[in-house]
Amino acid sequence: MLIQLDMQSDVPIYTQLVNQIIEGIASGRLIPGEALPSVRSLASDIGINLHTVNKAYTLLKQEGYIQIHRQKGVVVDPDGMPPVTPEYTAKQHDQLKPIIAEAICRGMSQEELLSIVQSIYRDILPEEKELLP
């Protein structure tokens, strides 16, 4: 999987890394049990501080997307992905609310907003693929 970071973005690099790994899992480019590069290797490959990669991996581990083994290294969690929980739903609500409010302020219709969401969803998960467990 190719990681592309925007060094000029306002989004922190560790957040960009977390988002791209989650998108890789969602799209099927990364599969459960697949090994990820070590912290040192990934930091060296993409030219960032190893503490940034370590922070991203720690967040992904806490959220249940990856496992970190002393012997096996870093792998996409082979036991499946974290489920939708009330806490996750509340987090999504909090994250989406300002985006929707801004869209309304700018005059975007509900249909236009839903069309963008559907387009992004289809980009990540084409119809022929199944949802992860």
Side-chain angles (χ1 to χ4, degrees), residues 48-94:
I48 61 174
N49 188 305
L50 63 91
H51 296 295
T52 302
V53 176
N54 192 43
K55 185 172 184 175
Y57 277 3
T58 299
L59 290 172
L60 288 164
K61 180 183 175 189
Q62 289 172 348
E63 294 291 329
Y65 292 102
I66 64 172
Q67 292 181 350
I68 301 173
H69 297 275
R70 289 182 186 263
Q71 295 173 331
K72 296 178 184 175
V74 181
V75 296
V76 177
D77 193 330
D79 300 327
M81 293 296 106
V84 175
T85 61
E87 293 80 19
Y88 173 75
T89 302
K91 177 182 162 188
Q92 274 207 322
H93 184 272
D94 291 345

Side-chain angles (χ1 to χ4, degrees), residues 1 11 14-15 20-21 30 44 47 49 77 84 91-92 95 105-106 110 112 132:
M1 187 181 119
V11 178
Y14 74 89
T15 302
Q20 288 196 27
I21 291 172
L30 293 172
S44 174
N49 188 305
D77 193 330
V84 175
K91 177 182 162 188
Q92 274 207 322
Q95 291 174 336
C105 287
R106 291 176 177 260
Q110 182 176 1
E112 290 172 314
L132 293 169

Side-chain angles (χ1 to χ4, degrees), residues 1 3 17-25 30 36 57 60:
M1 187 181 119
I3 301 287
L17 193 53
V18 165
N19 291 342
Q20 288 196 27
I21 291 172
I22 292 173
E23 185 176 330
I25 295 168
L30 293 172
L36 297 176
Y57 277 3
L60 288 164

